[in-house]
């Protein structure tokens, strides 16, 4: 079997960066001309592979198909779209790596069909709704929830879609393409510091974090900074601050979980008084649903205890939640083996950000590979990964794809 040309993938990524970026970074925002330029480049590459057909579905996703003896298929997916002033690898690595895997495997006889999909609008950079094309395909997009979205210039989402031949109310029809799918594979940059700190190029992703996001309102009573003795104060800010520390400490003692207080609002917020009201946010993340709900219970108990100690009350309001989305155990094993054979060592880690793979995991066995991000940065032009590691990642994707095709044969 022909090996994958991983260096060609890196060269392709550079070419794409040159064609669709400027001195501020990648500019492939979905539903813009630069995004179309990126897709035209991809189409040109795919047209050069014999036996591969290319189509765009009802949700604007581009599909390249290398037919096998059976309609049953393995899907490799990524996204060419970027945030404004984005990086050269986020999303494109999976597409361009997948392109080279397709180029290597298409001419070989294979029982299963192999598909590469470029999802439309993963980032949601223009209209604020991420995973648009993949959620439509997975059947989780509610058209009513996005119909009223507009961009900064006032253009409505349905109009921007229509300009690209996509009808919002028909996007779900794209889901028919998943009917014969047996596995979904996605290679992505980590976008965090974990692999680099372990000095490892590659890791297997266990799933995407569940999130519990709340706003907590602490209520005491504000009074004068000079007139009020320390022992009679009901300082809502201090109750909130102590709670935020308790959330941090609990998460730090946990196993690969997160707790973040990102916003603080105080009333009255003047230098000559302590505060009677303080609102903070709490964003909690974990891969295990039981762990996530236990974290929330602990946080509620801590905040209630601390509020009482500070003479305050606390009320919780849920802002958003999403359940953890675990990937397929058998595919995780397969990916682990592919990485070990290519790079010597593997590591298993959860994903903080959501990816198109999270939508696919709802409907079929799914796994992701992560490659190290230098400095753990992404969504900026500083986003980078050494060429040697990028090449390893494409070889790992190739190995994983080959093994997934073999495993599902017969
Ligand atoms: Zn991405």
């Amino acid at each position: 079997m022909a090996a994958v040309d991983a260096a060609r993938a890196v060269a392709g990524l550079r070419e794409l960066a040159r064609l669709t970026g400027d001195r501020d970074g990648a500019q492939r925002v979905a539903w813009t001309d630069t995004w179309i330029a990126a897709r035209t480049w991809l189409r040109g590459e795919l047209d050069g592979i014999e036996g591969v057909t290319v189509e765009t579905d009802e949700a604007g996703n581009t599909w390249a198909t290398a037919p096998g003896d059976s309609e049953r298929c393995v899907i490799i997916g990524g996204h060419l779209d970027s945030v404004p002033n984005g990086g050269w690898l986020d999303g494109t690595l999976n597409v361009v790596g997948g392109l080279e895997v397709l180029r290597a495997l298409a001419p070989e006889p294979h029982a299963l069909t192999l598909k590469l999909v470029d999802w439309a609008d993963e980032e949601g950079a223009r209209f604020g709704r991420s995973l648009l094309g993949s959620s439509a395909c997975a059947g989780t997009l509610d058209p009513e929830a996005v119909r009223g979205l507009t961009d900064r210039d006032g253009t409505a989402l349905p109009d921007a879609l229509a300009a690209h031949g996509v009808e919002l109310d028909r996007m779900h029809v794209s889901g028919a393409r998943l009917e014969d799918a047996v596995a979904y594979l996605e290679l992505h940059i980590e976008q965090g510091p974990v692999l680099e700190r372990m000095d490892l190029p590659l890791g297997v992703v266990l799933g995407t974090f569940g999130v519990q996001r709340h706003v907590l309102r602490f209520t005491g009573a504000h009074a004068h900074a000079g007139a009020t003795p320390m022992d009679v104060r009901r300082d809502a800010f201090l109750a909130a601050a102590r709670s935020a520390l308790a959330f941090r400490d609990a998460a730090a003692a946990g196993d690969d979980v997160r707790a973040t207080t990102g916003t603080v609002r105080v009333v009255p917020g003047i230098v000559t008084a302590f505060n009677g009201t303080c609102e903070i946010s709490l964003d909690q993340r974990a891969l295990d649903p039981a762990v996530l709900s236990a974290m929330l219970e602990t946080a509620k108990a801590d905040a209630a205890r601390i509020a009482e100690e500070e003479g305050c009350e606390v009320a919780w309001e849920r802002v958003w939640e999403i359940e953890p989305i675990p990937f397929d155990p058998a595919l995780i094993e397969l990916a682990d083996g592919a990485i070990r054979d290519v790079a010597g060592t593997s590591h298993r880690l959860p994903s903080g950000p959501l990816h198109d793979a999270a939508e696919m995991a709802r409907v079929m066995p799914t796994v992701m590979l992560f490659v190290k991000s230098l400095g753990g940065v992404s969504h900026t032009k500083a986003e980078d990964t050494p060429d040697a590691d990028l090449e390893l990642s494409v070889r790992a994707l190739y190995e994983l794809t080959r093994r997934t095709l073999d495993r599902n044969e017969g």
Side-chain angles (χ1 to χ4, degrees):
M1 203 169 269
V4 67
D5 189 345
R8 185 171 180 167
V10 177
L13 286 163
R14 285 240 152 71
E15 192 181 351
L16 193 59
R18 189 176 51 75
L19 287 172
T20 59
D22 57 25
R23 82 165 90 91
D24 296 320
Q27 307 297 347
R28 295 178 300 272
V29 175
W31 322 111
T32 66
D33 291 347
T34 309
W35 178 59
I36 294 301
R39 296 191 127 191
T40 304
W41 175 85
L42 176 65
R43 164 80 71 153
E45 293 294 310
L46 290 167
D47 284 347
I49 309 175
E50 209 179 299
V52 168
T53 55
V54 185
E55 300 162 286
T56 300
D57 72 17
E58 294 79 1
N61 306 308
T62 301
W63 294 84
T65 304
D69 305 328
S70 159
E71 302 259 291
R72 295 171 68 231
C73 66
V74 171
I75 300 172
I76 301 172
H79 61 97
L80 287 180
D81 76 305
S82 74
V83 296
N85 305 329
W88 68 301
L89 298 171
D90 178 0
T92 53
L93 173 59
N94 359 352
V95 177
V96 180
L99 163 69
E100 292 311 323
V101 172
L102 201 68
R103 201 192 304 277
L105 291 175
E108 305 289 333
H110 47 271
L112 264 63
T113 292
L114 179 60
K115 295 192 183 199
L116 172 67
V117 58
D118 168 29
W119 298 114
D121 202 355
E122 191 272 350
E123 299 285 1
R126 188 170 159 196
F127 293 97
R129 171 54 156 96
S130 303
L131 312 181
L132 192 74
S134 56
S135 65
C137 198
T140 59
L141 177 71
D142 174 11
E144 294 321 309
V146 298
R147 196 180 304 279
L149 296 177
T150 55
D151 69 5
R152 240 187 304 169
D153 302 326
T155 303
L157 173 67
D159 295 340
L161 296 177
H164 290 85
V166 175
E167 228 181 291
L168 176 59
D169 289 306
R170 280 183 46 79
M171 287 177 80
H172 66 278
V173 178
S174 63
R177 293 183 184 262
L178 304 182
E179 267 165 28
D180 298 311
V182 298
Y184 178 81
L185 314 174
E186 186 170 329
L187 163 65
H188 207 280
I189 51 169
E190 183 200 334
Q191 303 178 281
V194 174
L195 291 171
E196 187 182 32
R197 284 176 61 185
M198 299 180 75
D199 201 19
L200 291 177
L202 298 168
V204 187
V205 186
L206 294 166
T208 55
F209 276 141
V211 181
Q212 282 287 350
R213 192 173 297 162
H214 288 83
V215 166
L216 289 69
R217 185 184 175 90
F218 291 84
T219 311
H222 76 270
H224 195 280
T228 318
M230 299 308 289
D231 60 341
V232 298
R233 294 185 177 199
R234 299 171 58 208
D235 186 328
F237 165 72
L238 289 181
R242 285 184 57 199
S243 298
L245 288 171
F247 305 152
R248 189 271 309 262
D249 292 347
D255 184 15
D256 224 348
V257 298
R258 316 269 190 268
T260 304
T261 295
T263 66
V264 185
R265 201 174 68 86
V266 290
V267 180
I270 56 175
V271 293
T272 51
F274 55 89
N275 291 288
T277 303
C278 181
E279 277 184 5
I280 59 172
S281 61
L282 174 61
D283 177 296
Q284 297 174 298
R285 301 182 185 224
L287 191 59
D288 183 326
V291 170
L292 188 58
S293 57
M295 284 170 68
L296 180 57
E297 289 317 307
T298 302
K300 284 186 171 170
D302 284 345
R305 175 180 51 78
I306 291 166
E308 197 185 334
E309 286 169 9
E310 297 291 338
C312 298
E313 272 156 22
V314 58
W316 289 68
E317 187 190 336
R318 177 174 281 131
V319 179
W320 185 63
E321 66 177 328
I322 186 170
E323 73 281 15
I325 301 171
F327 292 155
D328 182 67
L331 282 177
I332 289 171
E333 287 302 326
L334 215 59
D336 214 37
I339 289 178
R340 270 187 274 110
D341 287 354
V342 166
T345 321
S346 180
H347 176 67
R348 299 179 181 209
L349 70 169
S351 172
L354 281 172
H355 293 285
D356 293 308
E359 290 293 343
M360 290 303 106
R362 299 176 194 274
V363 289
M364 77 180 90
T366 291
V367 76
M368 287 184 80
L369 306 177
F370 271 172
V371 62
K372 162 206 307 175
S373 288
L374 289 180
V377 297
S378 183
H379 284 194
T380 139
K381 67 174 179 181
E383 174 185 289
D384 205 9
T385 299
D387 283 10
D389 293 333
L390 291 175
E391 290 190 21
L392 279 182
S393 76
V394 174
R395 287 174 50 205
L397 178 65
Y398 168 76
E399 279 303 320
L400 173 61
T401 307
R402 224 168 43 77
R403 291 171 195 196
T404 308
L405 288 168
D406 288 350
R407 190 183 68 130
N408 286 284
E409 240 171 69

